[in-house]
Amino acid sequence: MNAYITSYSLQPVNVVEILFTSLCIFGAVLLHHRARFRALCILLLLEAVLMTFNFSEETGLFNQSTLVTPIFTLSTGPAFYFFVRHLVYSDAYWKRRDMLHFLPMMLAIPFTSHTQSVIAIGSLSLITYGTVSYQLLTKYRRASNASSSAAFDMRLSWLTSIIWIFFVLGATDTVRLNLQTELSYSVLNTWYLAHQSAVLILYASLIGFAVKQPLLFNGVSEFEDRKSSFKAKPSPGDASLSKTLFSQIDQHLVDSELFKQPRLSLNDVAGFMKIGVKDVSNAINIGSGKNFCEYINGLRVTEVQRRIDQGVEKHLTLLDIAVESGFNSKSSFNSAFRQFTGLTPSQYQRQVAASKP
């Protein structure tokens, strides 16, 4: 290897490929102990293999007689989808038939000489799996908002953003591939370097966000089962009953201050009220016009506002008050407070102080 490097001058893109391979292997080692992220480890290892073959094909390291890298456009989509599926569903597990998703990759091996065609099919595969992954994240967001007051801390909005960036990078790289006969080598090489660098940064961000993700929601399957049994449009009698039940729930939660319990869930409220989860969910949705997360955090924001308005707790910070009111983190507190008041907590505090004589 040392002799090889001596005889070959590495190009900037080759350095990026080495860094990319190292990053993916490091990320897989870092995350392998977290069950919900193990499918991400598989995606990272596949990308590491892809970058290794990219390096080889550009430098002649392995003396390859067959072009291999185009088939990886058919593996990235399924691997990314399984990563998202295992992240969304806590009860997801691998099945033998899941391997069928990688069959097109294997079938494409004899046709890698038709590079453009394989890449075109791979691009379609990425769009398809990316769309399905986005739909799964939408389900996750709805389920967590409907079932947990800690939905702010469980958000995977960073992953949604990464999917959109993947779409943009995939589209621009498709344009680059289709313009290979029209543009000069230096332009194409610079474009390719920029693309690989952007993907490197994107995967570094993906690993960083995965490591820092504080909480994950576990009840998507339960939410879907519950939702499937709901009536599309409740009758007037059912709606009236739900509003009456909501008044009772609201009164009990305020009187008992149960809303101050961190990570309060729909199941917790149902247990406290000794009624069914579906009935509680229906009552809150119809009675408050909000999902569970919005409703509970609305009670918490109201409590914080009350304590700020009183202005007798000078020894406490806003974050202290937020934690005592049930919020799990500063970010969830700030997001919820701004959502309900249109102001940051500090802005509201200053506004209250200015209004007092």
Side-chain angles (χ1 to χ4, degrees):
M1 179 67 179
N2 290 336
Y4 174 80
I5 292 176
T6 302
S7 63
Y8 177 82
S9 177
L10 292 179
Q11 301 300 311
V13 71
N14 302 137
V15 176
V16 171
E17 288 162 352
I18 293 171
L19 290 173
F20 201 142
T21 302
S22 303
L23 172 73
C24 289
I25 293 173
F26 175 73
V29 171
L30 198 63
L31 292 165
H32 81 280
H33 67 286
R34 300 175 65 179
R36 299 275 284 274
F37 285 98
R38 282 178 190 152
L40 173 57
C41 296
I42 294 175
L43 171 63
L44 293 174
L45 292 176
L46 277 172
E47 291 300 305
V49 174
L50 167 61
M51 284 299 119
T52 301
F53 277 111
N54 261 335
F55 183 88
S56 173
E57 289 170 0
E58 290 160 12
T59 62
L61 176 63
F62 297 151
N63 296 318
Q64 291 174 234
S65 58
T66 304
L67 192 66
V68 175
T69 51
I71 68 171
F72 283 92
T73 59
L74 292 164
S75 70
T76 302
F80 192 88
Y81 160 73
F82 284 118
F83 153 51
V84 174
R85 191 186 76 175
H86 283 241
L87 201 59
V88 167
Y89 291 100
S90 59
D91 54 355
Y93 58 92
W94 289 99
K95 303 173 184 176
R96 288 185 179 180
R97 65 172 180 267
D98 289 338
M99 297 307 298
L100 293 175
H101 289 266
F102 296 94
L103 185 59
M105 172 188 176
M106 307 308 296
L107 294 176
I109 293 176
F111 304 100
T112 52
S113 58
H114 304 282
T115 306
Q116 295 292 82
S117 299
V118 174
I119 291 176
I121 297 172
S123 298
L124 182 61
S125 169
L126 282 169
I127 292 171
T128 302
Y129 281 104
T131 301
V132 176
S133 298
Y134 182 83
Q135 292 171 343
L136 287 179
L137 290 174
T138 300
K139 288 182 181 180
Y140 176 93
R141 184 180 68 251
R142 289 174 179 168
S144 59
N145 281 334
S147 307
S148 175
S149 65
F152 278 109
D153 297 310
M154 298 173 178
R155 285 180 300 180
L156 296 174
S157 53
W158 54 270
L159 188 50
T160 303
S161 300
I162 283 175
I163 288 177
W164 280 112
I165 297 172
F166 266 126
F167 271 127
V168 173
L169 289 177
T172 56
D173 199 45
T174 300
V175 172
R176 178 185 66 83
L177 291 168
N178 287 315
L179 291 178
Q180 286 187 355
T181 58
E182 307 294 330
L183 300 176
S184 66
Y185 173 79
S186 61
V187 171
L188 288 171
N189 194 49
T190 302
W191 192 340
Y192 179 58
L193 173 61
H195 172 80
Q196 294 294 73
S197 299
V199 175
L200 169 64
I201 294 170
L202 191 60
Y203 269 91
S205 301
L206 176 60
I207 293 169
F209 280 119
V211 169
K212 293 191 296 183
Q213 177 66 29
L215 296 171
L216 287 171
F217 180 62
N218 297 324
V220 175
S221 296
E222 180 185 348
F223 168 79
E224 290 180 336
D225 291 341
R226 188 170 68 243
K227 185 179 177 183
S228 64
S229 64
F230 283 168
K231 294 181 180 178
K233 290 184 178 180
S235 66
D238 289 339
S240 178
L241 184 62
S242 292
K243 288 179 181 178
T244 301
L245 180 57
F246 170 71
S247 297
Q248 297 172 5
I249 293 171
D250 187 60
Q251 188 67 48
H252 280 297
L253 288 180
V254 173
D255 290 346
S256 66
E257 298 188 336
L258 186 64
F259 65 88
K260 294 183 179 181
Q261 178 180 311
R263 302 183 188 177
L264 183 70
S265 71
L266 189 65
N267 289 337
D268 294 332
V269 175
F272 177 76
M273 296 296 298
K274 294 182 172 54
I275 54 180
V277 174
K278 289 186 289 187
D279 293 328
V280 174
S281 180
N282 245 0
I284 290 174
N285 291 341
I286 295 173
S288 70
K290 302 170 184 173
N291 60 48
F292 181 78
C293 181
E294 290 171 339
Y295 166 61
I296 296 298
N297 283 307
L299 294 177
R300 293 169 175 170
V301 169
T302 300
E303 173 67 8
V304 172
Q305 287 178 292
R306 182 187 68 80
R307 294 175 66 170
I308 292 175
D309 292 344
Q310 288 178 344
V312 295
E313 299 173 302
K314 303 294 186 182
H315 62 290
L316 294 178
T317 66
L318 285 173
L319 185 57
D320 291 332
I321 296 173
V323 170
E324 290 182 3
S325 299
F327 286 104
N328 295 305
S329 65
K330 183 177 180 179
S331 60
S332 62
F333 168 50
N334 288 335
S335 297
F337 199 94
R338 189 165 198 133
Q339 177 183 344
F340 286 98
T341 68
L343 300 169
T344 65
S346 57
Q347 286 173 335
Y348 181 83
Q349 188 180 47
R350 287 194 296 269
Q351 189 179 83
V352 169
S355 66
K356 292 182 179 180

